[in-house]
Amino acid sequence: MEKIRSHKDLNVYQLAFDSALQIHQISQSFPAEEKYALTDQIRRCSRSVCANMAEAWRKRKYKNHFISKLSDSEAEAAETQVWLDFALAFQYIDNKTHEDLMDRYEHIIAMLINMSHSPDNWIIK
């Protein structure tokens, strides 16, 4: 097992980053009138999942700060799921794409919860 040296080495970060890239790609086909509503929001929160994980990783010296940033990341992942539901309801994405991305975000959320429930495995002592 390789040593984790940065947030980029975390499986949860890699999954979230890949998911954000996929969301960016599929949202390019959203209607122009959604540019500042759905498109901007879903891109922003999916990217924020990753950004908050990077911040959490750098705040590992402080258990409560670490947990707080993981919580922020989890909230952004849940928000991403809401926007995916809207994209499906508006028929901007198909059922398969929706299911695949929802499953990815369920895994991301589960991994973040596991990390926040066992912070001593991650924090710098």
Side-chain angles (χ1 to χ4, degrees), residues 20 43-54 72-73 76-77:
R43 286 178 180 179
R44 182 198 54 77
C45 60
S46 67
R47 292 172 183 171
S48 189
V49 174
C50 302
N52 280 297
M53 275 190 263
D72 291 345
S73 189
E76 294 291 343

Side-chain angles (χ1 to χ4, degrees), residues 18-30 42 80-81 83-89 91-106:
D18 289 344
S19 299
L21 291 177
Q22 184 178 356
I23 284 172
H24 179 86
Q25 182 180 17
I26 65 169
S27 66
Q28 289 177 331
S29 66
F30 290 0
I42 197 168
T80 302
Q81 290 180 310
W83 293 116
L84 287 167
D85 287 342
F86 276 110
L88 177 65
Q91 299 178 341
Y92 300 155
I93 60 175
D94 61 29
N95 283 325
K96 172 106 173 76
T97 301
H98 179 263
E99 288 175 19
D100 290 348
L101 283 166
M102 290 297 278
D103 185 60
R104 284 172 157 251
Y105 278 94
E106 283 298 317

Side-chain angles (χ1 to χ4, degrees), residues 35-46 79 83:
K35 182 176 182 180
Y36 298 108
L38 180 62
T39 304
D40 182 58
Q41 290 294 329
I42 197 168
R43 286 178 180 179
R44 182 198 54 77
C45 60
S46 67
E79 182 182 342
W83 293 116

